[in-house]
Structures are given as structure tokens and as C-alpha cells.
Amino acid sequence: MLLNETAERIRTMEIRGAGRIARAAVEALAGYADTLDATDLAAFRSGMQEAAETLLATRPTAVSLPNAVHAVMAPLSAADSLPEARDAVRRRADAFVTSSLHAVERIADIGARHISDGDTVLTHCNSEAALACILEAHRQGKDLTVYATEVRPRNQGHLTIRALDDAGIRTSFIIDSAVRSIMNRITLVVVGADAITVNGAVVNKIGTAQIALAAHEARTNVVVAAETYKFAPRTVLGELIEIEERSPAEVLPEEIARTLKHVTVRNPAFDVTPAEYVDLIVTEKGAIPPELAYTIIREYLGWNIEDFQRQLV
Ligand code: RUB
């Protein structure tokens, strides 16, 4: 698929969900590298940099996107020739996609162990990683009931209930504001993540934070299913995760908004759940408490103190 087409499909959310966005972006970068008409290595590097920036500008919150782009672009600075650089981009992109898909499988295996026979699971939004855990637990024969939220304003819950229904899982579909009223029936919350900060806070679809708060109050465990490339290295430098603010028209029809003089419609697409409301983060490398986020950033994303110090000068 063409680079601009992929960027547009990410921007308009035809391609959505942090993992899918990351894989689509690296595939677009590899396709672009294959066809980029560059006369020398410098021109290739600058063309690829522009392509990377186009993709990075699509959606700001899911850190899987910059992490994936970084994984593919990193070898460009060390390449000695144009063919070597082109080849490196393709190889890195293929490796990223393969390891991303493998990561979701590993998360499913590990996450399913935390789901017990008879559990009533609440999930929010449409997370490939979270759903993979639930589907795997069901595949293993565990008897589950799932509550899935609607996810206003984009209705990602419709995708989730379709997947659960296809798998034959008993599912209740609720509006987002019904979460507190059903929380006493829930034995486990399983959600995904767009970004995890160095202090273990989880950035995910708007509404996740109030679900986690309600779960905390009800003493219900919250499990976050997230590949290691959802951890945000630059939060070590004090950078904040930008919360995407989407069009007000997604929330209130323009013909109504137009008639209101004193009302501003806000549409933040994500929120931040503090680490204290998260019991476990299931990654492909194992399940960790949120407090170990820095370990993931250092050990598995390959960022060390020297990298951070270089960035600060
Ligand atoms: C999607 C969302 C998902 C995470 C994790 O938001 O918040 O929970 O991206 O998904 P949007 P996954 O629909 O706005 O992209 O586990 O599939 O990476």
C-alpha cells in the first residue's frame, strides 16, 4: 500500500489500534523504501525521513507508532550504501511485523493464565492484545462471560462484540456509563494500551481510567495486555504522552453544535490510568507489575542511560 494512503487510513481510523497502526506503518515504510527513486544514500535517507514524519503525524498517542518507525529507521544511519540501506529497511520492517504478531500470541498465552474458569471479564475498546488473552482462555475451555463496552464516540466495542460472538463467547454489551453499575459482577478487567510510561501509568482509550478506578474500589484486578513496544522510552526524559483530541463532530452533530453559543465540545480519545490502579501488565516477555516499566524500556527496547543522556545534551 502507498505511504500516503496508509497515513490517511491511520488518520481516519480505518486502520486503528496501537499494534495494527505500528505494523501498517512499518509495512508502508518498507514499501516506500522499495520504490523510492533516490540517486544516492543521502537522498534515500532524507526521503525516508520525510516518509517517517508523514506517518508519525497521523495520530499522536499510540507510542507503538514511533517505536516501530524507530526500529525500522535506526539502521539507516549506519548503512554504507543505498542497496544496503534499502535492504535494511525491508529486513527491519519484516522482522517488526513478525515479532509483533508473535508478541500478541505470547501475550495471549501468558494472559490466558491469569483468566480463570468461571471469570466474568470486562474489556474496553477493541484491543487485539486484550482480546487475544480472552479468546485464548476460551479456547482452553475456560467458561467465561465477557462484558464489553460500547466505546463512544467511535463504537470500537462493535468490533469487540463481533469478535467475541464469532468465538462463541457469552457476551453482554453495555454503554460506557454502565460500568460502575455492573462492576460488582466483574471478576477481572482486561484492557490494552496505547502507551505505558516509565512510572507504569497506562494510556488507553478514553474511559479506561474510570473503569480502573471503579475496579479498584470493587477490589477487582485490572490486567493490561501490551507488547513491549507500547512502553514509551522518552517518558524517562520527562516527556508526556500527547493525548489525541479528535473532532467535536464525532461527539455532537455539527447542526446541534452550531446552535449552542456557550458550549465547547471536547473529545479526548485517550486517558491515563495511574499505576496504582493497574495490577499487572502482560507483555510478550512476561507479566510484570507496572512499577517495572523502566526495566522493559531498558532491557527490551534497548534504551540505556547513555542514550537518554545523549538526548538531553
Ligand atoms: C484503540 C485502543 C486500544 C489500544 C490497544 O484506540 O485504545 O485499546 O490501541 O490496542 P483507537 P491493541 O481505536 O482510537 O485506535 O492491543 O490492538 O494494540
Side-chain angles (χ1 to χ4, degrees):
M1 199 189 305
L2 296 173
L3 183 99
N4 287 332
E5 195 186 322
T6 301
E8 189 53 20
R9 290 180 68 201
I10 295 173
R11 196 175 300 113
T12 57
M13 292 179 62
E14 197 182 318
I15 299 171
R16 49 144 303 281
R20 289 187 178 92
I21 289 172
R23 291 197 295 273
V26 299
E27 277 167 352
L29 275 179
Y32 191 74
D34 287 343
T35 55
L36 179 58
D37 189 14
T39 45
D40 57 25
L41 184 56
F44 181 76
R45 280 193 186 121
S46 95
M48 287 305 297
Q49 192 52 43
E50 244 177 72
E53 276 156 24
T54 301
L55 290 163
L56 291 172
T58 52
R59 292 191 75 191
T61 302
V63 78
S64 54
L65 177 58
N67 279 346
V69 167
H70 175 76
V72 170
M73 298 288 287
L76 277 189
S77 51
D80 291 323
S81 70
L82 182 50
E84 189 193 324
R86 241 190 254 280
D87 188 50
V89 169
R90 166 58 64 195
R91 273 188 294 108
R92 284 288 194 120
D94 289 348
F96 182 89
V97 171
T98 306
S99 73
S100 163
L101 294 171
H102 184 63
V104 175
E105 284 171 20
R106 282 293 297 148
I107 288 170
D109 287 342
I110 300 168
R113 290 191 200 140
H114 292 275
I115 301 177
S116 307
D117 190 34
D119 261 346
T120 301
V121 178
L122 170 65
T123 192
H124 182 55
C125 197
N126 178 254
S127 156
E128 185 182 36
L131 261 178
C133 300
I134 298 168
L135 294 174
E136 176 57 20
H138 170 74
R139 197 196 61 77
Q140 291 172 359
K142 293 175 184 166
D143 180 35
L144 305 180
T145 301
V146 177
Y147 277 74
T149 49
E150 182 183 23
V151 196
R152 278 270 295 151
R154 297 289 300 225
N155 295 324
Q156 286 92 331
H158 293 190
L159 300 170
T160 299
I161 55 173
R162 175 66 56 199
L164 293 166
D165 188 68
D166 285 348
I169 298 178
R170 201 168 46 248
T171 301
S172 293
F173 183 53
I174 55 169
I175 59 170
D176 303 322
S177 44
V179 162
R180 179 63 188 85
S181 73
I182 54 90
M183 188 52 83
N184 289 338
R185 282 174 232 174
I186 303 298
T187 54
L188 187 69
V189 174
V190 183
V191 292
D194 283 84
I196 298 171
T197 67
V198 66
N199 64 355
V202 171
V203 181
N204 192 47
K205 179 53 56 193
I206 192 81
T208 305
Q210 60 194 25
I211 291 174
L213 179 62
H216 184 74
E217 186 204 28
R219 307 283 185 273
T220 302
N221 282 350
V222 174
V223 168
V224 174
E227 303 87 317
T228 48
Y229 55 75
K230 309 273 180 68
F231 288 72
R234 300 186 63 83
T235 57
V236 174
L237 300 171
E239 270 192 25
L240 299 176
I241 303 291
E242 182 182 340
I243 300 294
E244 179 181 13
E245 180 89 30
R246 295 188 61 83
S247 165
E250 289 183 347
V251 176
L252 191 71
E254 267 165 22
E255 57 273 24
I256 299 177
R258 221 179 291 127
T259 64
L260 302 167
K261 286 197 212 51
H262 309 287
V263 176
T264 306
V265 179
R266 296 284 317 275
N267 186 14
F270 300 96
D271 62 22
V272 183
T273 300
E276 61 191 293
Y277 298 151
V278 176
D279 293 282
L280 203 63
I281 302 176
V282 177
T283 79
E284 73 276 19
K285 303 295 182 189
I288 58 158
E291 292 74 19
L292 286 190
Y294 180 62
T295 311
I296 297 286
I297 292 171
R298 202 188 47 207
E299 305 287 322
Y300 298 113
L301 295 179
W303 287 65
N304 56 39
I305 285 295
E306 289 73 36
D307 291 325
F308 291 122
Q309 275 161 356
R310 260 197 303 279
Q311 302 262 333
L312 282 173
V313 287

